[in-house]
């Protein structure tokens, strides 16, 4: 064993000597293989860089972002639009510092979540600024074309992207759901057009409109970039507005703009709820005001949250734990003061209120029932919760609840004299009532024969009975007597009327 150590030591020294290069040998190797430097020249003509390109780093920074604005700047990835309309919008915003401050302060609740989602999807962070253009970051904003929420979804497009819209909530206003849908839509549009400017034009104008504009330009041998397409004034200004906001965010000092500090930290947390709960109680347990609670949960349109439809609520980061502790300690048993009653048949508001033990004014107020309307069968009405209705609202009702109304028709008792060869069927057709109702009003059988001059009672709408009373000639019926004192409110079903509103976007 003692002989083994010298042998090993000598072997190691021999191997080390083989691997060692003398200084002279190293110098000789360097002299024989000089370093080669190949200069690189740009292809094509040089063009000036933009203000954004000067301040946007070309490589990833090792330091953490100073705030959320810094983080957004680092993710700028869309090509800049160099257009005179950009300068026009820059001047418009720069001349309104109070507007910029209000808008950016409002966005502080939602911006971190949007940036997180954009980075997770690998999308340009400029898109986090799009709600400034759409709604000034107001989740309750509604356009004249009925687009709603901070991302301004039209009803049909919202439905396509699985945003629930019913009598209890509108997910087009929901912070998480609408952001998910908007980024899904923008990714879809970018995949269609391969260009972010065209994708934004399609978000505002509609993908079909942009597609047709591109086809027209191709047919005419024209360019198909955003600046070259023929589009409405609103869409023409759309990307310049976003570029102007991007430039202000990138270098606010150049525009004498003040951006409020937004920490690079989540503003809110999602908290699970397992029971229906009043909005006021949820806000109280979280130790926030009702207005602050609704700002983070803007999709709610009623004073109660149905857990089957909205299993999570958003709360300020520091208040989430407060809510969970207070909810666990809450011992009063009842969390919700309201439930839902499905109307079994078409009813007047007075009849419905009597059935649920409410005043007519109270039922109208909580369910937004307009005057001179009856409630159609199948409508889901908010009513007070009682000892017999302790079960929480089902997911079927929470996700699909709706309220439908029909005009309340006031009728007048009218007497008509039958003419020769008149039948109940001919009188019913002439006065636009059903044969069954006419028979019932006069205690006759449907096929009963009539005598000339026989008095037939009808209940006609006010306008119709007036028209009958003043009409002349054989086609209008003969000798009509009306009673102004006898009126009767009758529910009347009607077809869904109206045409879709003009679509401004999506």
């Amino acid at each position: 064993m003692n002989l083994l150590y010298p042998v090993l030591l000598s072997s190691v020294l021999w191997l080390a000597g083989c691997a060692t290069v003398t200084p002279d040998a190293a110098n000789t190797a360097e002299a024989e293989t000089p370093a080669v430097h190949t200069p690189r020249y740009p292809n094509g003509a040089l063009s000036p860089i933009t203000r954004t390109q000067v301040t946007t780093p070309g490589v990833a920074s090792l330091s953490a972002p100073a705030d959320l604005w810094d983080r957004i700047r680092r993710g700028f990835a869309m090509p800049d639009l160099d257009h005179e309309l950009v300068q026009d919008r820059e001047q418009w915003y720069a001349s309104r510092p109070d507007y910029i401050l209000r808008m950016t302060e409002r966005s502080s609740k939602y911006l971190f979540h949007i940036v997180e989602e954009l980075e997770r999807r690998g999308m340009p962070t400029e898109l986090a600024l799009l709600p400034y253009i759409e709604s000034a970051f107001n989740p309750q904003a509604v356009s004249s074309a009925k687009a709603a929420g901070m991302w301004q979804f039209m009803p049909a497009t919202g439905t396509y992207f699985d945003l629930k819209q019913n009598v209890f909530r509108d997910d087009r206003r929901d912070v998480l759901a609408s952001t998910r849908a908007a980024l899904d839509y923008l990714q879809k549009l970018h995949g269609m057009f391969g260009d972010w400017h065209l994708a934004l034009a399609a978000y505002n104008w509609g993908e079909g409109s942009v597609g047709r504009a591109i086809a027209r330009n191709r047919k005419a041998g024209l360019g198909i970039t955003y600046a070259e397409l023929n589009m409405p004034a609103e869409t023409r200004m759309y990307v310049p507005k976003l570029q102007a906001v991007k430039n202000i965010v990138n270098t606010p000092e150049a525009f004498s703009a003040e951006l409020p500090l937004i920490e690079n930290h989540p503003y809110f947390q999602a908290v699970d709820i397992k029971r229906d709960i009043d909005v006021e109680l949820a806000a109280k347990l979280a130790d926030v005001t009702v207005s602050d609670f609704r700002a983070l949960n803007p999709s709610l349109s009623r004073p109660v949250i149905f857990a089957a439809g909205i299993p999570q609520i958003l709360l300020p980061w520091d208040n989430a734990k407060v809510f969970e502790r207070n909810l666990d300690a809450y011992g009063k048993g009842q969390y919700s003061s309201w439930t839902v009653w499905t109307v079994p048949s078409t009813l007047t508001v007075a009849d419905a209120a009597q059935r649920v033990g409410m005043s007519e004014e109270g039922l109208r107020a909580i369910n937004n029932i307009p005057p001179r309307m009856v409630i159609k069968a199948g409508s889901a009405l908010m009513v007070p919760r009682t000892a017999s209705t302790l079960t929480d609202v089902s997911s079927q009702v929470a996700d699909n609840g709706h309220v439908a109304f029909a005009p309340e028709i006031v009728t007048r008792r009218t007497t008509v004299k039958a003419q020769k060869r008149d039948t109940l069927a001919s009188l019913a057709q002439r006065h636009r009532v059903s044969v069954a109702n006419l028979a019932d009003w006069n205690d006759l059988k449907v096929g009963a024969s009539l005598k000339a001059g026989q008095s037939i009672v009808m209940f006609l709408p006010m306008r119709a009975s007036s028209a009958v009373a003043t009409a002349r000639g054989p086609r209008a019926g003969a000798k009509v007597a009306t009673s102004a004192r006898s009126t009767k409110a009758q529910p009347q079903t009607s077809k869904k009327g109206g045409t879709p509103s003009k679509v401004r976007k999506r």
Side-chain angles (χ1 to χ4, degrees):
M1 185 68 178
N2 293 335
L3 294 174
L4 183 60
Y5 288 115
V7 173
L8 290 173
L9 180 61
S10 62
S11 299
V12 170
L13 292 173
W14 180 81
L15 290 171
C18 293
T20 303
V21 180
T22 64
D24 293 339
N27 293 335
T28 303
E30 287 183 7
E32 292 176 353
T33 57
V36 178
H37 174 70
T38 304
R40 295 183 179 181
Y41 300 100
N43 295 324
L46 296 177
S47 59
I49 62 177
T50 64
R51 178 167 51 245
T52 303
Q53 291 170 320
V54 171
T55 54
T56 301
V59 295
S61 174
L62 296 179
S63 62
D67 56 21
L68 194 58
W69 299 117
D70 185 23
R71 183 176 175 183
I72 291 172
R73 294 181 194 112
R74 295 184 188 193
F76 284 167
M78 285 170 50
D80 286 322
L81 179 68
D82 187 13
H83 196 281
E84 61 183 8
L85 290 177
V86 176
Q87 286 76 48
D88 175 80
R89 292 298 88 189
E90 286 176 344
Q91 293 176 7
W92 190 93
Y93 285 116
S95 65
R96 294 164 173 80
D98 293 343
Y99 176 72
I100 291 178
L101 188 60
R102 285 197 311 272
M103 189 167 61
T104 50
E105 284 178 341
R106 189 186 297 133
S107 71
S108 63
K109 296 179 175 66
Y110 319 111
L111 207 51
F112 181 90
H113 171 72
I114 297 173
V115 174
E116 285 271 296
E117 285 298 298
L118 287 168
E119 290 181 346
R120 185 178 65 81
R121 295 169 182 244
M123 298 172 72
T125 52
E126 292 99 320
L127 297 174
L129 309 176
L130 192 60
Y132 288 124
I133 312 305
E134 287 288 347
S135 63
F137 263 100
N138 179 6
Q140 297 293 355
V142 180
S143 76
S144 59
K146 306 304 181 186
M150 63 183 177
W151 293 98
Q152 289 289 280
F153 272 96
M154 293 291 290
T157 312
T159 300
Y160 179 84
F161 285 98
D162 198 28
L163 297 178
K164 292 283 186 183
Q165 301 157 62
N166 59 40
V167 70
F168 306 122
R169 77 180 198 265
D170 186 347
D171 284 350
R172 295 178 299 162
R173 295 181 171 92
D174 183 88
V175 176
L176 303 186
S178 68
T179 299
R180 184 267 309 159
L183 301 192
D184 284 350
Y185 192 25
L186 287 165
Q187 282 185 312
K188 174 180 180 286
L189 294 171
H190 184 257
M192 291 176 63
F193 298 106
D195 177 275
W196 280 115
H197 292 166
L198 294 178
L200 288 166
Y203 189 86
N204 176 261
W205 191 22
E207 56 206 66
S209 299
V210 172
R212 287 188 291 273
I214 290 173
R216 284 193 297 269
N217 274 28
R218 279 182 174 152
K219 187 176 181 179
L222 302 174
I224 58 170
T225 65
Y226 177 86
E228 294 169 303
L229 295 183
N230 184 20
M231 56 184 67
E234 181 185 326
T235 310
R236 172 67 59 203
M237 295 291 289
Y238 193 67
V239 175
K241 285 181 181 179
L242 182 62
Q243 183 68 53
V245 172
K246 173 183 175 180
N247 293 343
I248 293 171
V249 167
N250 195 54
T251 54
E253 63 280 358
F255 301 93
S256 300
E258 181 183 354
L259 301 180
L261 174 65
I262 303 180
E263 298 284 356
N264 187 29
H265 182 280
Y267 182 88
F268 58 75
Q269 277 195 73
V271 179
D272 294 337
I273 57 170
K274 297 179 173 61
R275 295 285 306 274
D276 295 354
I277 185 170
D278 289 343
V279 168
E280 287 191 1
L281 177 59
K284 181 180 179 181
L285 295 178
D287 194 25
V288 298
T289 65
V290 173
S291 60
D292 285 344
F293 182 89
R294 287 194 177 277
L296 287 178
N297 300 275
S299 66
L300 302 173
S301 58
R302 292 293 185 264
V304 64
I305 309 163
F306 297 126
I310 303 178
Q312 286 187 327
I313 56 174
L314 302 185
L315 293 171
W317 186 266
D318 294 332
N319 297 84
K321 288 295 182 185
V322 174
F323 174 81
E324 291 176 336
R325 287 197 302 267
N326 288 339
L327 185 64
D328 290 340
Y330 187 76
K332 295 185 179 179
Q334 182 169 308
Y335 299 88
S336 169
S337 307
W338 301 93
T339 188
V340 177
W341 176 55
T342 302
V343 180
S345 59
T346 300
L347 297 172
T348 64
V349 179
D351 289 340
Q354 186 177 17
R355 291 199 186 192
V356 298
M358 294 182 69
S359 68
E360 183 176 341
E361 293 75 16
L363 188 65
R364 284 187 185 278
I366 194 66
N367 292 284
N368 298 324
I369 303 174
R372 295 180 297 279
M373 290 287 176
V374 294
I375 308 163
K376 296 180 72 172
S379 294
L381 296 184
M382 293 275 299
V383 298
R385 198 164 185 166
T386 63
S388 61
T389 55
L390 293 179
T391 306
D392 286 345
V393 172
S394 68
S395 59
Q396 173 65 24
V397 174
D399 283 337
N400 302 290
H402 71 281
V403 177
F405 305 111
E408 184 179 46
I409 304 300
V410 178
T411 61
R412 177 174 293 184
R413 187 180 186 278
T414 304
T415 302
V416 177
K417 298 293 185 181
Q419 294 181 330
K420 191 176 182 180
R421 291 189 295 275
D422 261 342
T423 63
L424 286 180
S426 65
L427 285 175
Q429 182 179 14
R430 186 182 304 152
H431 297 289
R432 297 179 182 179
V433 296
S434 72
V435 178
N437 280 345
L438 193 56
D440 182 57
W441 293 333
N442 293 275
D443 198 20
L444 296 172
K445 293 182 178 179
V446 172
S449 59
L450 301 178
K451 297 178 180 179
Q454 183 175 345
S455 295
I456 301 297
V457 174
M458 295 184 184
F459 289 93
L460 300 179
M462 291 287 285
R463 291 180 182 176
S465 61
S466 299
V468 170
T470 57
R472 294 291 182 268
R475 299 182 68 183
K479 296 184 180 179
V480 179
T482 62
S483 173
R485 290 188 178 181
S486 177
T487 61
K488 181 179 180 181
Q490 290 186 338
Q492 175 176 303
T493 58
S494 62
K495 295 181 180 179
K496 260 188 174 178
T499 55
S501 60
K502 183 179 179 182
V503 176
R504 180 179 65 85
K505 66 182 76 167
R506 299 179 290 295

